[in-house]
Amino acid sequence: MDEKKLLTKCTKTLTKELPVLRKICKLTQQQLGDIAGVSRQTITNIESGKCEMKWSHFLAFMFLFGLNAESAEYLKQIDIPYDEVKKWLVSKRM
């Protein structure tokens, strides 16, 4: 999968699952925004589809949800191509 397709697939998949992941972690939009360093409005716009999730948001959310056992387990069940993401991240190292 080329880079653009990979990034799009990952962000769209996580966008769909963001409300569920927030619920698992018992986070409001405001709390998630505070942790990720974005506004509540940004979280609202991502969840409603008014704006696309940026790759930096994807990485921050994956890190955050990976720290919680329940949400980490849920992440394993959704359609994110972890091996391809890992290869992409490794290829970007300096």
Side-chain angles (χ1 to χ4, degrees):
M1 182 179 314
D2 72 27
E3 181 176 321
K4 183 165 178 60
K5 286 182 183 177
L6 175 64
L7 302 182
T8 299
K9 178 176 179 49
C10 290
T11 55
K12 286 190 182 291
T13 299
L14 194 59
T15 295
K16 279 192 325 190
E17 303 296 338
L18 199 55
V20 175
L21 288 159
R22 280 194 309 100
K23 186 174 182 176
I24 290 170
C25 292
K26 299 175 177 67
L27 293 172
T28 64
Q29 290 176 333
Q30 181 68 54
Q31 290 167 324
L32 178 59
D34 290 346
I35 293 167
V38 299
S39 69
R40 179 205 52 81
Q41 190 63 41
T42 297
I43 302 298
T44 300
N45 288 340
I46 290 170
E47 289 184 356
S48 70
K50 288 183 181 176
C51 73
E52 292 184 8
M53 181 185 294
K54 294 180 181 178
W55 184 245
S56 58
H57 298 152
F58 171 82
L59 294 173
F61 297 150
M62 290 296 289
F63 177 77
L64 170 67
F65 295 128
L67 294 175
N68 175 287
E70 288 180 60
S71 59
E73 191 58 38
Y74 187 81
L75 285 172
K76 293 177 188 176
Q77 309 304 315
I78 63 177
D79 190 26
I80 293 180
Y82 288 102
D83 289 339
E84 290 187 51
V85 172
K86 183 178 177 182
K87 286 178 191 174
W88 182 86
L89 288 169
V90 168
S91 75
K92 297 301 177 188
R93 287 192 309 188
M94 300 208 176

